C-alpha cells in the first residue's frame, strides 16, 4: 500500500543549501508548516548524523501553525570535486487526539500512516570575484571607520556648522600648519648649531694636540742644549786645568 502524501509544507521543498566557507558552522533553515486541522508529529533524519546538528529534530506542530528547524553543518575540509551525497528526510504522522506519549505513537504507527519528504544537501562556495568584492567592501568599510574616528568632532558635524564656525576651523588649521613649519625651522637651526659646535670642538682638539706636540718638541731641545752645555763645560774645565 502506497504511503499517504506529505501533509506538511516544506520550505525549501527539495534542497538544503549550505554556503561556504566551511571553516565554521554553516546553518540552513527549514520551515515546516501544518495547514491541516490536526496536530502533526514530525522527525528530521539525515544520512550523515555526525556532520549535522538539527534543532529541533522532532516534535509536534499544532494545527495551522509552523516551526523553523535549524540544520547546522559542522566545519569540515571542503573539496569542490566531491559531490555531496548527504540527504535529509522529514517524516510526519498525524497525532492521535488523545496522544500522551509521542515516542509510543511512533513505535505503534503503521507504515501506511507515515509520510515523508526527502531533501538533498547542496554545498556552495563563493566565487573568487565575490570573495574579492567582499574583501574590498570590508577594507573600505574599515578605512572609512578609521578615518571618521580620527576626524575632529567639529568636522564630523560639518553639515550643521555655519560659515563662521567653518572659518574658525580653517583658521585653526592654518595656525597649526604655521606652527609646524616654525618647529621644523627651529629643529633645522638646532641641527646646524650642533654641527657648528662639533666643528669648533674638533678644531680646538686639533690645536691642543698641536700645542702639546710643540711643547714636547721644545722640551726635547732644551734637554739637548743643557746636555750640550754640560759637556762643553766639562771639556773647557779640563783644558783650563
Amino acid at each position: 500500500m502506497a504511503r499517504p502524501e506529505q501533509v506538511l509544507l516544506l520550505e525549501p521543498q527539495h534542497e538544503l543549501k549550505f554556503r561556504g566557507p566551511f571553516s565554521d558552522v554553516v546553518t540552513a533553515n527549514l520551515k515546516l508548516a501544518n495547514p491541516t486541522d490536526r496536530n502533526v508529529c514530525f522527525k528530521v533524519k539525515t544520512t550523515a548524523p555526525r556532520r549535522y546538528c538539527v534543532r529541533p529534530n522532532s516534535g509536534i506542530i499544532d494545527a495551522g501553525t509552523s516551526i523553523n528547524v535549524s540544520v547546522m553543518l559542522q566545519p569540515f575540509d571542503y573539496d569542490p570535486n566531491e559531490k555531496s551525497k548527504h540527504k535529509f528526510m522529514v517524516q510526519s504522522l498525524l497525532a492521535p487526539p488523545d496522544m500522551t506519549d509521542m515516542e509510543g505513537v511512533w513505535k505503534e504507527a503503521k507504515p501506511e500512516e507515515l509520510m515523508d519528504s526527502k531533501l538533498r544537501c547542496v554545498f556552495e562556495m563563493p566565487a573568487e570575484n565575490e570573495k574579492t568584492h567582499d574583501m574590498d567592501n570590508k577594507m573600505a568599510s574599515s578605512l572609512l571607520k578609521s578615518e571618521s574616528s580620527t576626524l575632529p568632532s567639529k568636522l564630523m558635524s560639518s553639515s550643521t556648522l555655519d560659515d563662521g564656525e567653518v572659518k574658525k576651523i580653517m583658521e585653526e588649521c592654518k595656525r597649526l600648519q604655521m606652527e609646524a613649519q616654525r618647529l621644523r625651522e627651529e629643529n633645522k637651526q638646532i641641527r646646524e648649531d650642533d654641527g657648528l659646535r662639533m666643528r669648533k670642538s674638533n678644531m680646538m682638539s686639533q690645536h691642543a694636540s698641536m700645542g702639546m706636540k710643540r711643547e714636547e718638541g721644545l722640551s726635547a731641545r732644551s734637554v739637548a742644549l743643557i746636555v750640550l752645555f754640560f759637556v762643553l763645560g766639562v771639556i773647557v774645565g779640563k783644558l783650563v786645568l
Side-chain angles (χ1 to χ4, degrees):
M1 181 177 180
R3 290 190 177 186
E5 186 178 352
Q6 176 69 269
V7 296
L8 296 179
L9 301 179
L10 279 63
E11 184 182 344
Q13 295 182 356
H14 306 293
E15 293 180 345
L16 284 175
K17 293 185 178 180
F18 298 90
R19 188 172 179 81
F22 301 102
S23 56
D24 201 354
V25 175
V26 180
T27 302
N29 294 315
L30 174 63
K31 182 179 180 181
L32 305 178
N34 178 12
T36 69
D37 57 357
R38 293 181 58 180
N39 296 343
V40 176
C41 302
F42 77 93
K43 282 185 178 182
V44 181
K45 300 179 179 180
T46 177
T47 57
R50 294 185 179 181
R51 300 285 295 274
Y52 298 89
C53 181
V54 183
R55 294 290 182 272
N57 59 2
S58 63
I60 301 174
I61 305 176
D62 294 335
T65 64
S66 62
I67 189 172
N68 287 319
V69 177
S70 296
V71 182
M72 291 164 277
L73 173 63
Q74 303 305 301
F76 73 104
D77 294 328
Y78 175 71
D79 183 359
N81 298 320
E82 181 182 354
K83 298 298 182 181
S84 173
K85 298 179 181 179
H86 302 167
K87 292 182 175 60
F88 274 83
M89 181 176 69
V90 178
Q91 200 170 42
S92 61
L93 170 68
L94 292 174
D98 56 349
M99 184 186 69
T100 56
D101 181 13
M102 186 174 64
E103 289 300 323
V105 171
W106 282 106
K107 290 179 180 179
E108 296 174 2
K110 298 176 182 179
E112 60 270 16
E113 296 176 339
L114 299 176
M115 300 166 282
D116 59 60
S117 299
K118 293 182 175 65
L119 301 94
R120 69 187 186 95
C121 298
V122 177
F123 299 154
E124 295 179 344
M125 282 294 289
E128 289 299 325
N129 57 349
E130 292 182 10
K131 290 182 181 178
T132 304
H133 183 66
D134 292 341
M135 291 178 65
D136 291 342
N137 287 340
K138 289 180 180 178
M139 291 176 63
S141 177
S142 61
L143 181 61
L144 287 174
K145 288 181 180 178
S146 62
E147 289 181 352
S148 63
S149 63
T150 57
L151 287 174
S153 58
K154 288 185 178 181
L155 291 180
M156 290 294 291
S157 57
S158 60
S159 59
T160 61
L161 297 177
D162 55 27
D163 293 340
E165 290 177 333
V166 172
K167 186 177 180 180
K168 288 180 181 179
I169 295 174
M170 296 300 294
E171 290 176 353
E172 180 69 13
C173 291
K174 186 176 180 180
R175 185 186 69 79
L176 292 174
Q177 290 176 353
M178 293 176 65
E179 181 69 16
Q181 180 64 26
R182 185 182 66 81
L183 292 174
R184 283 195 294 268
E185 291 176 355
E186 288 183 358
N187 189 33
K188 182 180 178 181
Q189 186 63 39
I190 290 172
R191 288 200 300 270
E192 291 177 353
D193 292 343
D194 288 342
L196 182 60
R197 281 196 293 269
M198 289 289 292
R199 287 194 295 272
K200 287 183 178 179
S201 177
N202 291 334
M203 291 176 65
M204 290 177 66
S205 299
Q206 291 176 359
H207 289 319
S209 177
M210 291 174 65
M212 291 176 65
K213 290 181 179 179
R214 189 178 296 111
E215 290 177 358
E216 291 176 355
L218 290 174
S219 299
R221 290 194 195 95
S222 299
V223 171
L225 289 172
I226 291 170
V227 172
L228 178 62
F229 287 142
F230 176 76
V231 172
L232 289 175
V234 172
I235 294 172
V236 172
K238 287 182 176 182
L239 290 174
V240 172
L241 292 176

